[in-house]
Each structure stands twice: as C-alpha cells, then as structure tokens.
Amino acid sequence: IQYTDKLVVNALITTSDIVGVSVSNTYSVFDTTAPVPLMNASVKFIDESGNQTDLKLNLVTGKYEANVVPMAGKKYTINVNHPKYNSAQ
C-alpha cells in the first residue's frame, strides 16, 4: 500500500490545562514503530484577537507547549509549519 507522508497535528484543548500539541507525520500501517514527535516545527497558538503564542517542544512530553490556558467561549487557531511538509491549520 502506498501513501503520501503528511503532517499530523493532534491536540486536546481544555480550559483546565496548558496548551499542548502533538506534531508527527503519517506512517505506513506496516510500520512497527510508533510515531515520534517532529523536531523543528513552528507551532503557533492564535486567539480570536490575533494574539500569537509560539509553542516550544517539550522533550519530556513530546508535545509543543506554552504556558497558556484557553478561556471558555473564545475561538483559537493552531498553525503548524515544518520544512518537510505542507502547513496545517
């Protein structure tokens, strides 16, 4: 089975915890290893007013994180760029 390697972004955003975003890539169903976090990604957390926060890779959790706790009722956008993949929003 052929597939195209793509950027994968996964996040569970709550009002009770800081922002954490997993960034990895697709892998074959025949691959026996688990996905690993992609290094060198640019991850931005943007609120509805346009305020941007850069998320940094936490090597312990494997997630891009920032000390930001989202507020209920607000809208947020996550932008992810990586030199090897198309960007994701």
Side-chain angles (χ1 to χ4, degrees), residues 2 5-7 11-12 14 18 22-23 34 36 41-42 50 59 69-70 73:
Q2 288 189 333
D5 197 22
K6 295 184 180 182
L7 187 66
L12 176 61
T14 70
I18 65 169
S22 297
V23 179
V36 295
S42 169
L59 296 174
V69 178

Side-chain angles (χ1 to χ4, degrees), residues 17-88:
D17 203 0
I18 65 169
V19 174
V21 178
S22 297
V23 179
S24 60
N25 60 300
T26 54
Y27 60 100
S28 169
V29 295
F30 300 110
D31 198 340
T32 59
T33 60
V36 295
L38 284 178
M39 307 293 264
N40 302 322
S42 169
V43 182
K44 296 187 182 299
F45 188 72
I46 307 165
D47 69 18
E48 62 190 8
S49 298
N51 299 310
Q52 296 186 19
T53 302
D54 292 324
L55 280 63
K56 303 296 180 197
L57 180 60
N58 179 327
L59 296 174
V60 175
T61 65
K63 295 180 181 180
Y64 285 82
E65 299 176 343
N67 193 22
V68 173
V69 178
M71 295 175 57
K74 302 287 184 178
K75 293 183 180 183
Y76 298 93
T77 302
I78 299 170
N79 287 339
V80 180
N81 292 290
H82 189 276
K84 186 177 174 185
Y85 301 99
N86 290 330
S87 61

